Every structure is written in structure tokens, then in C-alpha cells.
Amino acid sequence: MKLNSTQVRSENSLKVINKYISFSDKAKNDSGEMYIYGDIVDNSWWDETVSPKKIRDALKELGSIKSLDIHLNSYGGSCIAGNAIISILDNYRKKNG
């Protein structure tokens, strides 16, 4: 199933940032899922890439939850951006965990 940036799959409340980043918030059980697909880059010029800013924006939209499952499928990319994403996720965990 191909998702685009405006599609929302209501049965799982899947919110799509773009076709490479999407998330599902399960407010009833205070948990969520994040799906990350694409190359990791410092600054995102196209929708085909994932940047720390896009992850941060997705987490802000997700809100406060206790548990987050992350599904990642990437060929790789920038080590600096990857470390920034790890820091963003760690800070999110500390703030909400």
C-alpha cells in the first residue's frame, strides 16, 4: 500500500508526515508507533529523505506517550544526522518516559 503525504489510515490512526515518515498514536493505551523509511540526511530538500527536523516535528505532533515502537528501514546516510535523531529520541524518552 503506497501512502502519500495527505493520506490518513483511520483504522490505526496512522498519520503520514510524508511517504517516508509516519506514526500512529494509540492514546487509549498511551503508546505509539513510528515508521521511518528513507535515507538519513542533515537537511531534507526532498520528501524522499529523513532529517532530524522531520523526526522532531513528528514527535511534537505525536504528543506525550509512555511507549514508542520505532520501525526503521534505511540504506543509511549521514552519521551526524543519525546521532542527532538518536539524541532527539532520547530526549523525548526522558521527557515523556
Side-chain angles (χ1 to χ4, degrees):
M1 175 175 164
K2 185 176 180 182
L3 300 173
N4 63 43
S5 58
T6 59
Q7 217 168 356
V8 176
R9 204 170 62 190
S10 61
E11 66 268 11
N12 292 334
S13 67
L14 182 67
K15 297 179 183 175
V16 178
I17 301 299
N18 61 38
K19 66 181 179 178
Y20 298 95
I21 303 174
S22 59
F23 63 90
S24 171
D25 55 347
K26 303 173 185 174
K28 294 175 189 156
N29 29 352
D30 213 16
S31 66
E33 294 179 308
M34 180 176 282
Y35 300 87
I36 304 170
Y37 302 106
D39 294 337
I40 308 297
V41 296
D42 297 317
N43 293 312
S44 207
W45 298 98
W46 301 278
D47 270 352
E48 297 86 24
T49 57
V50 177
S51 69
K53 181 185 181 317
K54 285 183 180 180
I55 298 296
R56 188 185 68 231
D57 292 346
L59 290 173
K60 281 182 185 177
E61 192 170 334
L62 187 58
S64 179
I65 57 173
K66 299 289 182 197
S67 172
L68 177 64
D69 294 328
I70 299 171
H71 306 271
L72 175 66
N73 185 13
S74 174
Y75 287 113
S78 167
C79 293
I80 295 169
N83 284 332
I85 290 171
I86 289 170
S87 294
I88 289 167
L89 291 169
D90 191 43
N91 289 334
Y92 181 82
R93 180 185 57 83
K94 289 176 183 174
K95 180 181 173 185
N96 298 301

